[in-house]
Amino acid sequence: VAGAVSDRPQRARQTEAFLLEQGLTNKTVTRAIEMLTEEVTIGASSHDSESYRKSLLAGYLYRFLLECINRHDNTRTSTPSPSSTSTHSTTTADTGHLNGTTHTDTDTDPDTDIDREGGGARIWQPLAKPDNERLVTGDAKYTGDVAMDKRALYGAYVTSEHAKATLLRVDGSEAMRVDGVVDIVTSEDFTLNRMINTVTAWDTNLLESVVPIGGQSRFVGQPVALVLAATEDTARKAAHVVKVEWADIQTPVVTIAQAMAAKREYKKMFEGRKGDIAPFEAVFSSRGTADLQVVKGKVDCGSQLHFYLEPQVAVACPDEDGRMTVHTATQGPQYVHENVALALGLPQHKVDVRLRRLGGGFGGKSTGSVPVAIMAAVAARKAGRPVHVSPTRHQDAAMTGGREEIELDYEAAFDRSGRIHAIRASVHVNCGCAGNLAYMCGKYIAEFLEQAYELQNFYLLSKLWITDLPMRMPVRAPGGLPAALAIETILDHIASSLSLDQADVRRANHLTETSLTSAMYVNGEMAA
């Protein structure tokens, strides 16, 4: 019986009869998989392609047959360390029948054995992760797999199609006539003045830029409303017929150059310094001397999306005594906890945040998960029923933003060997619609610029710029990627200028066992 591929389970009788008659061999199993995907009708879905769902059917049938074999042989298939053993189902040479016996190749070298009983392992020895088997077989449960009761509702976002415009009206009357639609959540259901950014005491409100807006849009894809319905497909279909009326539609500011022209500088800036570049000011001004040469250039680093396996998702369940339980995929459960409590006007002990498995994060689910959790909680309180909220992949990418775009202008003074004596640089960071999180990029570029090189003297000024794009946020080591790109580009530029091998220039600047690193300061404070 195949389920979850159409609106009702289907029994594949032809495939079933074929296996009962022919038995289990490599050939019959292969043919049975083909028959199953031909026999079962794949229903329409807004999430997955037909070919993908057919491939899942094939995989699940094959796995089921292996489990049956192993159960019959009373043999448990395991996933041992790839270095010490390898386990796989085998086919007997004389009959071609599948069986569940395991073949084990044991490494006889005692120096490579893993003491599993004692819990120890040599640091160079590969070791299987404890939940590998669950992950690769699909048994692992994620937040999106939280079981929903029959009363549960699903939320679908209505998002802004303008980056800079005034919202006049949200008309959900046509959506409410769609069979299965229960309610629509808008900014009227939120009390934004109670919400704060719990990451730090910045004045710009993180949540105002990503929860349903009432007034001014800040970027394309910003939430406007949430449609609640009995199924996710129904909610998404109804979201398409919600009418949104806009006025004062303006040309958005999207690049750093446009933000500079519009004087939209965020109030925070960062100065990173190490050593003293004052003695080299004359060198920079004259573009070089007899002893030192100068190169000048620019580094552009674009944005990257996190693109985690499971999109942002939250399931909120109202409980007795006004309590709220929120299942969330988040890197910051403390942020979800405090902000959901604030959004609902509840003391924190009445909010229960649960996290089973992240499903990928890379920084995007640190604070990016907070608005989705709040949306689910506010919707659940309004409806008095559990609510599951997960944006589509396109909506997720628009709301979460990704890494900051940066532009770095540099001047480097160096000698004939390619060794750097001083660097002067300015960094401009595209923060998107709020500077709350992009500040880390500006700060950490100054801290990470050295990488593996000995830079005794440099000065770096970071400025942040507000644009009409989704709020930029950390992606895997914020500031580290553009800092590495910057210093490596500078070294390549120097090598090209001197007609030297790039590797030789890097060796001339590399940290050595005898290198002395002086303190580096950011905004007057010593960097960690």
Side-chain angles (χ1 to χ4, degrees):
V1 178
V5 292
S6 62
D7 57 352
R8 65 187 62 185
Q10 301 174 56
R11 184 171 180 177
R13 296 183 182 276
Q14 296 178 22
T15 307
E16 182 180 316
F18 173 79
L19 287 171
L20 288 172
E21 179 182 349
Q22 300 294 327
L24 297 180
T25 68
N26 282 335
K27 291 182 179 180
T28 59
V29 168
T30 301
R31 177 56 187 148
I33 289 173
E34 294 174 353
M35 292 178 64
L36 178 66
T37 54
E38 293 170 358
E39 184 177 356
V40 173
T41 301
I42 307 296
S45 171
S46 61
H47 312 298
D48 308 314
S49 66
E50 180 179 343
S51 60
Y52 172 70
R53 299 174 106 187
K54 282 186 176 182
S55 70
L56 287 180
L57 274 181
Y60 286 137
L61 174 62
Y62 185 70
R63 179 187 166 204
F64 167 73
L65 294 175
L66 288 181
E67 287 181 351
C68 290
I69 296 167
N70 286 329
R71 195 178 301 119
H72 179 268
D73 291 343
N74 196 27
T75 302
R76 182 178 181 274
T77 301
S78 60
T79 307
S81 166
S83 64
S84 58
T85 61
S86 62
T87 305
H88 55 84
S89 295
T90 62
T91 305
T92 56
D94 53 343
T95 65
H97 278 67
L98 287 172
N99 61 60
T101 60
T102 59
H103 174 71
T104 302
D105 297 319
T106 304
D107 192 329
T108 57
D109 184 354
D111 291 335
T112 60
D113 287 344
I114 294 179
D115 179 14
R116 292 187 178 278
E117 296 299 326
R122 300 187 186 279
I123 61 173
W124 60 82
Q125 193 70 34
L127 185 64
K129 297 172 69 173
D131 58 351
N132 266 358
E133 189 171 339
R134 285 192 296 272
L135 292 171
V136 300
T137 59
D139 278 346
K141 303 298 181 185
Y142 293 86
T143 302
D145 299 319
V146 171
M148 305 290 284
D149 64 35
K150 294 181 179 179
R151 299 176 58 252
L153 300 175
Y154 293 81
Y157 281 100
V158 179
T159 58
S160 170
E161 59 185 9
H162 301 291
K164 193 175 183 181
T166 301
L167 177 64
L168 296 182
R169 189 168 63 96
V170 177
D171 182 3
S173 56
E174 187 175 346
M176 290 299 297
R177 289 194 290 268
V178 175
D179 187 32
V181 173
V182 174
D183 207 343
I184 297 179
V185 179
T186 67
S187 60
E188 296 177 359
D189 299 299
F190 286 77
T191 308
L192 289 175
N193 60 357
R194 278 209 307 262
M195 299 184 190
I196 62 171
N197 183 347
T198 60
V199 182
T200 188
W202 297 314
D203 60 330
T204 305
N205 194 315
L206 166 64
L207 300 174
E208 285 184 356
S209 66
V210 278
V211 298
I213 54 179
Q216 191 76 22
S217 67
R218 299 194 183 190
F219 58 89
V220 172
Q222 185 175 1
V224 175
L226 187 79
V227 177
L228 301 179
T231 69
E232 194 167 39
D233 281 344
T234 300
R236 288 179 175 175
K237 290 176 182 176
H240 286 297
V241 299
V242 173
K243 294 181 174 61
V244 182
E245 187 176 347
W246 299 93
D248 191 26
I249 300 173
Q250 302 178 40
T251 302
V253 171
V254 295
T255 68
I256 292 174
Q258 291 171 343
M260 289 179 175
K263 299 181 179 179
R264 297 176 66 172
E265 184 178 355
Y266 188 58
K267 69 176 188 177
K268 290 197 172 187
M269 66 173 63
F270 296 91
E271 291 182 294
R273 59 183 174 84
K274 181 178 178 182
D276 185 11
I277 69 163
F280 300 92
E281 293 292 349
V283 178
F284 289 131
S285 299
S286 61
R287 299 300 302 274
T289 63
D291 298 321
L292 297 176
Q293 299 183 38
V294 173
V295 291
K296 183 176 182 180
K298 182 176 183 178
V299 176
D300 291 325
C301 184
S303 177
Q304 299 89 39
L305 292 175
H306 308 82
F307 211 78
Y308 22 71
L309 177 66
E310 182 181 40
Q312 303 280 6
V313 59
V315 179
C317 306
D319 207 340
E320 59 185 13
D321 194 26
R323 296 174 180 271
M324 185 68 68
T325 298
V326 180
H327 301 267
T328 174
T330 181
Q331 293 172 267
Q334 69 276 27
Y335 306 144
V336 171
H337 187 216
E338 183 168 353
N339 278 286
V340 167
L342 288 165
L344 300 180
L346 293 175
Q348 292 188 29
H349 71 271
K350 287 194 173 184
V351 176
D352 182 12
V353 175
R354 300 183 183 182
L355 168 63
R356 165 171 268 183
R357 188 172 276 109
L358 187 58
F362 320 117
K365 292 180 181 175
S366 52
T367 55
S369 57
V370 174
V372 180
I374 289 177
M375 178 70 84
V378 171
R381 180 182 62 179
K382 182 179 183 181
R385 298 158 66 174
V387 171
H388 178 290
V389 176
S390 181
T392 66
R393 181 66 73 179
H394 291 291
Q395 290 173 337
D396 188 314
M399 295 176 191
T400 307
R403 192 188 299 273
E404 308 86 351
E405 299 94 332
I406 71 104
E407 295 177 2
L408 185 146
D409 297 296
Y410 64 85
E411 293 176 287
F414 54 93
D415 59 30
R416 291 185 178 87
S417 70
R419 180 166 179 77
I420 297 173
H421 289 251
I423 291 178
R424 181 171 64 184
S426 61
V427 179
H428 301 281
V429 181
N430 188 334
C431 302
C433 64
N436 301 42
L437 298 174
Y439 94 98
M440 285 190 279
C441 179
K443 178 176 183 288
Y444 292 149
I445 286 178
E447 294 187 14
F448 297 156
L449 183 65
E450 286 185 288
Q451 298 290 306
Y453 304 104
E454 186 174 10
L455 306 180
Q456 289 300 325
N457 305 288
F458 75 81
Y459 173 81
L460 185 148
L461 174 65
S462 289
K463 291 188 176 183
L464 312 180
W465 300 92
I466 303 298
T467 59
D468 301 314
L469 293 172
M471 181 176 59
R472 299 310 194 223
M473 59 182 59
V475 179
R476 271 296 171 95
L481 185 147
L485 177 63
I487 188 60
E488 298 295 343
T489 300
I490 292 171
L491 291 168
D492 285 347
H493 196 168
I494 292 172
S496 175
S497 175
L498 294 171
S499 297
L500 294 177
D501 187 281
Q502 295 175 348
D504 291 336
V505 172
R506 282 170 170 77
R507 275 190 287 268
N509 289 280
H510 248 289
L511 289 168
T512 67
E513 293 180 357
T514 59
S515 295
L516 296 177
T517 56
S518 57
M520 201 276 283
Y521 295 85
V522 175
N523 286 357
E525 297 181 359
M526 185 180 295

